Amino acid sequence: MENLRHGQAVDIPNYDFKSYKNSVFPARRVNPSDVIILEGILIFHDPRVRELMNMKIFVDTDADVRLARRIRRDTVEKGRDIGVVLDQYSKFVKSAFDDFILPTKKYADIIIPRGGDNHVAIDLIVQHIRTKLGQHDLCKIYPNLYVIQSTFQIRGMHTLIRDSQTTKHDFVFYADRLIRLVVEHGLGHLPFTEKQGLYILVWISVRGYAVYQLLEDLSSERVSDSGGNCLTLCY
């Protein structure tokens, strides 16, 4: 897993369920990818493995469905007798599931009931992965980096700012507007504590200048209009 995360290919041995041995068949080459799916019934048991996962999913399926699938798999793919399969299930498999696999359910980030038949849950996971794949490359490296979604407005301002023919006045205007969007987006990721209070919106017009002042708790405030005139407002 570490090698795959660092962009290195790995060779995974194939396990033979009939002979209960590894290295019976040639190893399977797995190349690195943007999305790595690691699957196994005890995949959440080792904390070192859990720490490597970005999303932990537990597929929860009814016991009768699991038994039916196990009978079909062991008799068809592994060539076992159905009596042996049922005896193994009742003596070892069911108790091992209750003791070792089911307790790891608490480590899952997402629990999918009904398994592969839950198309809504699967679609949500697929959409989440597609969103991650569509992120900027730097976002995959730095988890605290956020990139503002591109809109026609932002693309238009970028075009004007990068245009050598744009006047100084327009450059300052659109750069200031773009910076405001960045600051507003960044403030949305900061923690805050909501407080309740009394707020009054005051509109003062002095010699054609309009000033908006937000006053809290009916306090006395000094405000200035854009022309430098100071006013004292008492409540």
Side-chain angles (χ1 to χ4, degrees):
M1 284 297 297
E2 286 284 5
N3 291 338
L4 288 174
R5 283 168 59 93
H6 289 87
Q8 303 175 12
V10 296
D11 294 323
I12 300 179
N14 287 300
Y15 181 76
D16 184 12
F17 288 94
K18 292 183 180 180
S19 61
Y20 303 103
K21 295 180 180 180
N22 281 327
S23 304
V24 177
F25 304 103
R28 178 167 56 95
R29 170 59 62 96
V30 177
N31 295 314
S33 179
D34 292 331
V35 178
I36 302 173
I37 300 177
L38 185 63
E39 183 269 340
I41 58 176
L42 290 171
I43 207 64
F44 297 155
H45 176 71
D46 195 326
R48 297 171 298 176
V49 179
R50 295 198 303 265
E51 292 177 358
L52 296 175
M53 300 178 181
N54 300 107
M55 179 189 297
K56 297 182 288 294
I57 303 174
F58 188 95
V59 181
D60 197 3
T61 309
D62 293 338
D64 55 347
V65 176
R66 299 198 304 267
L67 177 58
R69 291 175 178 174
R70 186 177 186 87
I71 294 174
R72 184 185 306 111
R73 184 197 64 184
D74 287 1
T75 55
V76 176
E77 298 180 9
K78 301 180 182 180
R80 298 176 182 174
D81 181 75
I82 187 172
V84 176
V85 175
L86 293 175
D87 184 66
Q88 184 186 42
Y89 179 84
S90 59
K91 291 182 179 180
F92 305 105
V93 176
K94 187 179 185 303
S95 59
F97 174 83
D98 295 334
D99 295 338
F100 302 107
I101 301 176
L102 188 59
T104 64
K105 184 178 180 179
K106 63 183 178 182
Y107 298 118
D109 301 315
I110 299 175
I111 299 175
I112 303 180
R114 304 190 309 278
D117 295 331
N118 193 335
H119 300 289
V120 174
I122 295 176
D123 289 342
L124 290 175
I125 295 173
V126 171
Q127 182 60 40
H128 175 76
I129 295 176
R130 288 177 176 174
T131 301
K132 291 295 183 180
L133 290 176
Q135 285 183 342
H136 195 278
D137 290 338
L138 289 178
C139 295
K140 302 174 184 177
I141 302 175
Y142 303 101
N144 60 339
L145 176 65
Y146 299 90
V147 178
I148 299 179
Q149 184 179 2
S150 179
T151 62
F152 289 115
Q153 179 188 15
I154 293 178
R155 290 171 59 186
M157 288 188 290
H158 269 291
T159 302
L160 292 171
I161 291 174
R162 296 176 180 177
D163 189 355
S164 60
Q165 303 299 322
T166 300
T167 63
K168 178 180 178 180
H169 178 272
D170 289 340
F171 179 87
V172 173
F173 176 82
Y174 289 111
D176 178 74
R177 174 58 182 163
L178 190 60
I179 292 173
R180 288 175 181 268
L181 294 177
V182 174
V183 173
E184 291 175 2
H185 185 80
L187 290 176
H189 296 281
L190 294 178
F192 72 96
T193 302
E194 185 176 357
K195 296 182 179 179
Q196 294 183 354
L198 180 60
Y199 296 90
I200 300 177
L201 180 62
V202 180
W203 177 326
I204 308 168
S205 180
V206 180
R207 292 193 302 177
Y209 294 101
V211 179
Y212 291 90
Q213 179 66 35
L214 193 62
L215 304 180
E216 181 180 359
D217 297 333
L218 298 179
S219 60
S220 176
E221 295 285 345
R222 290 181 59 85
V223 298
S224 300
D225 66 358
S226 56
N229 300 302
C230 293
L231 300 139
T232 299
L233 308 177
C234 299
Y235 300 89

